Amino acid sequence: MKQKEYSRKEFVKGMAIAAAGFMIVPRHVLGGKGFLAPSDKITVGIVGAGGKGRENAAELLKLKDVQITAIADPASYWDLKDFYYKSKAGREPVKEMIEGHYKLINSNYRISEYIDFREMLERESSLDAILCSTPDNTHAYVSIKALRAGKHVYCEKPLTHNIWEARKVREIARESGLATQMGNVLHSGDGIRQTVEYLRDGAIGKVEEAHTWVPASRWNPGLKGLPAGPAIDEQAIGWDLWLGPTPYMPCHKEYVPVAWRDFWALGCGALGDFGCHDLDASVWAFDLHAPESIEIFPAGYSDADIAPYGEMGYYHFAKKDSQPEFKQVWYSGGLKPARPELLPDNVELPSRGSLFIGKKGIIVTGAGGSNPQIFPEKRRERYNPPKPSIARSNGHFRDWIDAIKGGPVASANFEYGARLTEITLLGVLSLRLGGKKIYWDSENIQVKGLPEADQYIREPVRPGWEMV
């Protein structure tokens, strides 16, 4: 009898253990391709170790369940003391920073170092994810290569350098099922979520118009066209790899570091740099997709090679499905909208921000839709804000890592990031066409009646750097 009871107890206990085991199946088993258990440490390779690459790597170092195990950049060193980064960057300084952090725990810690990120992808098969902080012209190529290698991807903004690339990256990200995040970090702030909730709640009545401005301008304000001075040593910075898919052009001091943003072949000017931050609140709040027309005028000299000193222009979104009739106005280089009458005399527009004009008031925000302020003040005092309807973020990098582990999809994933990037780049397209008003055929990815736009919608690439 005792033997039978013992066997029965053991059987029940065994079944309980089995059931418990079923309940705690690792989330990477349930989460699909490439997803890891919450207890796993995510291994990340850094691609691009300039100023932004250094900053992004430093953010990952704050996460205890992340391990940076490899780094790739053709340039070994940059002195960025004269730029806003105020640091030393490049492969060697960033490698030193990463190893110095981990050596506090393991004195023998070393990371793998590569000049060409493609070699890193081939050799570092254990990498779970890639963080891309290269210049704009290589974002799409790096992201596509990494996704096809089965790596989760974080990529700086703008997600791509042209509109065709944005469509292609989104397509491949969808197919891969991997966790992605674009680097518009302000998207994860509480402030932009508040702004979106206020706008959706009708805090200032129906909104049909927004104005957005940034103070950014050219790094080379007096330059007209491409540099004419002597070329610098291309081998020292790995210029051939740095160019990636971009057709060859000799390297000049006016391009590197940081100032490459001034040149259409490499960057996208102020709008390309800030659009994915500062147009975000409008796109998110009103579920904006394809604008019907875009007209962005250059302020100051610009041509087929170099971006203008500043910009001002208009996006018009026609009513379609959930998208309302909406006008978005953009300014850069110190240009701003007219001071709204509802703004109190003792309040100034911020140096960077947005103005939403409603039927019953206005909302003024800071950078990237942060710190929303309702005017007139009487309306603000009477307004009862809604309960939060958008999940608050645990941090832009944290959300990406959690998504890799099978958690919620990161909110600036490539599905949304590609849409926001395309809207931004449509403004860049108008600029590159000299400020022409363009009518966008989103379905066919072309400008109506303007075939000369095709060369910018899908740019030529060097042999060996094809993305498809």
Side-chain angles (χ1 to χ4, degrees):
M1 184 69 177
K2 285 183 179 180
Q3 179 65 36
K4 286 183 180 179
E5 283 183 4
Y6 177 79
S7 299
R8 191 172 188 282
K9 287 177 182 177
E10 288 299 300
F11 174 77
V12 171
K13 181 180 178 183
M15 289 298 291
I17 292 171
F22 177 77
M23 294 301 290
I24 58 170
V25 168
R27 293 182 73 182
H28 70 277
V29 173
L30 303 176
K33 180 181 177 182
F35 288 85
L36 297 140
S39 59
D40 287 345
K41 186 164 284 194
I42 306 300
T43 57
V44 179
I46 301 295
V47 181
K52 196 62 183 175
R54 183 187 180 101
E55 288 185 348
N56 288 339
E59 290 298 318
L60 289 182
L61 292 178
K62 298 175 183 178
L63 307 180
K64 293 182 179 180
D65 55 347
V66 172
Q67 194 94 17
I68 300 174
T69 59
I71 188 170
D73 195 302
S76 62
Y77 178 82
W78 294 112
D79 185 351
L80 302 178
K81 69 177 185 301
D82 295 329
F83 296 89
Y84 50 80
Y85 295 112
K86 306 298 181 187
S87 64
K88 295 177 182 178
R91 194 174 63 251
E92 292 302 327
V94 177
K95 178 175 182 283
E96 181 181 356
M97 177 190 74
I98 294 167
E99 290 181 342
H101 173 84
Y102 292 128
K103 281 179 179 178
L104 296 174
I105 301 169
N106 177 0
S107 61
N108 295 317
Y109 192 83
R110 297 285 186 276
I111 67 172
S112 301
E113 178 183 356
Y114 296 91
I115 292 173
D116 190 334
F117 89 97
R118 295 171 297 183
E119 183 182 1
M120 181 175 78
L121 285 178
E122 289 174 5
R123 295 196 174 200
E124 304 290 328
S125 58
S126 63
L127 282 175
D128 299 313
I130 292 295
L131 188 150
C132 174
S133 302
T134 64
D136 301 355
N137 64 313
T138 49
H139 285 180
Y141 185 85
V142 172
S143 295
I144 288 171
K145 275 282 186 183
L147 288 167
R148 285 182 167 156
K151 313 302 179 187
H152 305 280
V153 180
Y154 180 110
C155 182
E156 263 309 318
K157 51 77 202 163
L159 184 59
T160 64
H161 191 256
N162 64 59
I163 294 163
W164 178 86
E165 289 176 347
R167 297 283 181 104
K168 184 55 62 176
V169 168
R170 182 180 66 184
E171 174 190 321
I172 293 169
R174 279 178 182 172
E175 291 172 356
S176 74
L178 294 163
T180 59
Q181 180 85 306
M182 185 172 71
N184 54 333
V185 293
L186 297 176
H187 184 85
S188 290
D190 288 353
I192 188 173
R193 283 162 164 71
Q194 270 190 317
T195 297
V196 171
E197 288 164 350
Y198 288 1
L199 291 169
R200 289 177 176 176
D201 189 53
I204 55 172
K206 186 177 181 181
V207 177
E208 297 177 340
E209 183 176 336
H211 297 254
T212 299
W213 62 95
V214 298
S217 59
R218 278 224 233 120
W219 289 99
N220 297 281
L223 190 63
K224 294 187 176 181
L226 295 176
I232 63 176
D233 182 2
E234 297 180 359
Q235 294 298 322
I237 61 170
W239 182 243
D240 185 68
L241 285 171
W242 202 96
L243 280 174
T246 303
Y248 175 77
M249 53 196 290
C251 185
H252 294 268
K253 62 179 178 59
E254 287 84 358
Y255 297 157
V256 291
V258 180
W260 50 265
R261 291 192 182 279
D262 289 354
F263 304 93
W264 295 131
L266 306 171
C268 299
L271 176 51
D273 190 10
F274 288 91
C276 290
H277 284 309
D278 293 86
L279 295 177
D280 191 3
S282 292
V283 173
W284 197 356
F286 301 108
D287 193 25
L288 302 179
H289 286 257
E292 182 179 60
S293 66
I294 312 97
E295 188 176 22
I296 311 292
F297 302 101
Y301 183 88
S302 69
D303 59 25
D305 297 310
I306 194 167
Y309 184 87
E311 310 139 350
M312 177 181 174
Y314 313 92
Y315 290 87
H316 176 246
F317 295 85
K319 182 171 177 53
K320 185 179 180 182
D321 301 325
S322 62
Q323 176 176 283
E325 186 89 10
F326 191 78
K327 182 172 79 171
Q328 172 69 58
V329 189
W330 173 264
Y331 313 78
S332 77
L335 299 173
K336 285 185 179 181
R339 181 184 175 86
E341 292 181 4
L342 292 178
L343 199 66
D345 291 341
N346 63 339
V347 177
E348 297 296 328
L349 289 174
S351 62
R352 176 182 168 192
S354 287
L355 164 67
F356 295 90
I357 301 175
K359 299 292 186 183
K360 299 178 181 179
I362 62 173
I363 291 177
V364 177
T365 80
S370 61
N371 190 32
Q373 299 293 316
I374 297 172
F375 298 100
E377 291 172 325
K378 285 185 178 179
R379 182 162 187 84
R380 184 197 311 166
E381 292 165 1
R382 292 196 303 267
Y383 180 58
N384 184 23
K387 291 181 179 179
S389 58
I390 302 171
R392 273 19 184 189
S393 169
N394 292 316
H396 207 64
F397 296 87
R398 179 73 262 166
D399 288 352
W400 176 54
I401 297 300
D402 287 345
I404 292 173
K405 294 187 170 189
V409 173
S411 62
N413 63 81
F414 287 1
E415 186 71 30
Y416 179 77
R419 170 156 59 104
L420 181 55
T421 294
E422 181 171 324
I423 290 170
T424 297
L425 293 180
L426 282 167
V428 173
L429 178 59
S430 175
L431 275 173
R432 295 186 72 174
L433 291 166
K436 283 187 178 179
K437 187 172 186 177
I438 59 178
Y439 294 88
W440 183 235
D441 180 350
S442 178
E443 185 176 351
N444 294 302
I445 321 179
Q446 63 184 21
V447 175
K448 296 176 183 178
L450 209 62
E452 58 263 42
D454 293 348
Q455 62 185 314
Y456 304 130
I457 294 170
R458 181 177 182 178
E459 296 165 301
V461 301
R462 289 197 290 168
W465 291 87
E466 294 82 6
M467 295 177 219
V468 293

